[in-house]
Amino acid sequence: MTTRIPAELIERLRAAQRVTALTGAGVSAESGVPTFRDAQTGLWAQFRPEELATPQAFAANPRRVWGWYAWRRELVRKARPNPGHKALAELETHLTARGRAFTLITQNVDGLHQQAGSRKVIELHGNLQRTKCSQCEEIIAQWEESETPPPRCPLCGGLLRPDVVWFGEALPAAALQAATTAAQHCDLMLVVGTSAVVQPAASLPLLAVEAGATLVEINPQDTPLTPWVDYALRGTAATLLPSLIATIQPLNR
Ligand code: OAD
């Protein structure tokens, strides 16, 4: 699939002073990390979220929940950033070198944006590679696996859980505040690889629209956000992001 990038969008991107990107699972799909809602391959086509991604599920069966996240952690550990992640890192370098602002907001918990070189990353849903204590809530970055998982908190003995946001839980307040500010103050927002159905992340692009920003969606499919976007680029992140970033080349201009 070739998607032409409209000349007017290229001009807007070149002129933008404050760019914000919001990414979802689709940006990591081409790194081999499964999305959640794609019909055949998405995690929620194979697993029930309420049995794996809620505090109630963890309370009922901590071993099962821990095991599922341990499987995902391994999968992500083997994954490498793809050209989509790299293009966003390049865009950050390009803009910040020229005194312009760039903020990357991600719903992903895989850390691939940081691996690709992105520096200013707001993680709305946590990170798989960290754990926190389910009792004292201390973040535990290093832990010993136990023969009877989940391992226990070295500080209080509570059960460790992944440091990710589960359904029914609040997002980290500082991350949500920073993301809201970045949405309200950008003049162009890229929305990449998200089905835009999980709140509050799905509302961030609408804040940008309200503030008069240009909204660009990069996704092979329509989403509930599509009626609001100025440009819908239909294709994959690993193809379209590098093409889009190449339009503002030469990067050292
Ligand atoms: P979803 O799985 O809901 O949506 C993935 C989106 O990526 C879909 O719109 C696909 O069309 C699109 N997509 C698939 N392959 C792509 C590709 N190669 N390039 C670009 N787009 C592609 O994932 P999210 O929107 O990230 O939350 O899901 C949001 C949240 O729901 C996740 O953070 C997770 C999940 O439950 C928690 O676990 C708290």
Side-chain angles (χ1 to χ4, degrees):
M1 183 177 352
T2 50
T3 302
R4 200 181 61 80
I5 297 177
E8 202 185 86
L9 167 57
I10 298 169
E11 281 318 307
R12 289 197 193 188
L13 183 58
R14 284 184 175 157
Q17 295 299 312
R18 291 173 307 280
V19 177
T20 295
L22 170 68
T23 66
V27 81
S28 295
E30 287 151 287
S31 293
V33 181
T35 62
F36 293 94
R37 292 177 184 77
D38 280 295
Q40 302 298 322
T41 54
L43 290 170
W44 297 153
Q46 303 162 55
F47 302 101
R48 289 159 61 90
E50 60 273 26
E51 286 176 7
L52 293 163
T54 62
Q56 293 78 5
F58 186 73
N61 195 339
R63 185 176 187 151
R64 176 178 153 85
V65 171
W66 179 269
W68 189 67
Y69 279 94
W71 167 71
R72 283 181 60 202
R73 198 180 297 125
E74 266 319 294
L75 203 147
V76 158
R77 211 170 263 156
K78 290 183 199 131
R80 294 292 166 262
N82 67 52
H85 298 108
K86 290 180 188 160
L88 287 172
E90 246 184 87
L91 181 60
E92 178 178 26
T93 304
H94 173 78
L95 291 173
T96 52
R98 285 156 185 78
R100 303 184 207 165
F102 178 80
T103 307
L104 176 50
I105 307 167
T106 189
Q107 298 164 85
N108 298 346
V109 294
D110 56 30
L112 290 175
H113 285 304
Q114 292 91 330
Q115 267 191 52
S118 286
R119 291 180 300 269
K120 193 169 171 190
V121 183
I122 300 173
E123 292 182 321
L124 283 182
H125 292 166
N127 191 304
L128 255 187
Q129 307 298 352
R130 287 191 308 260
T131 65
K132 71 176 176 187
C133 176
S134 58
Q135 266 174 36
C136 71
E137 298 193 347
E138 197 66 32
I139 302 291
I140 308 290
Q142 310 269 334
W143 67 94
E144 298 274 326
E145 289 298 335
S146 106
E147 275 176 27
T148 51
R152 296 207 168 253
C153 172
L155 303 174
C156 78
L159 294 178
L160 292 186
R161 54 161 283 181
D163 184 20
V164 299
V165 176
W166 283 332
F167 290 104
E169 292 186 322
L171 273 60
L176 182 57
Q177 182 54 56
T180 302
T181 303
Q184 286 169 331
H185 292 96
C186 66
D187 42 27
L188 187 145
M189 185 185 252
L190 301 171
V191 184
V192 188
T194 177
S195 59
V197 294
V198 173
Q199 297 294 352
S203 292
L204 292 169
L206 300 180
L207 296 179
V209 169
E210 265 171 30
T214 299
L215 204 56
V216 184
E217 180 174 68
I218 297 182
N219 196 313
Q221 313 276 344
D222 278 10
T223 74
L225 202 61
T226 303
W228 303 95
V229 308
D230 297 286
Y231 302 96
L233 304 183
R234 292 283 162 254
T236 75
T239 307
L240 285 177
L241 280 170
S243 307
L244 182 64
I245 306 316
T247 64
I248 56 170
Q249 298 272 23
L251 287 176
N252 57 2
R253 188 172 59 169

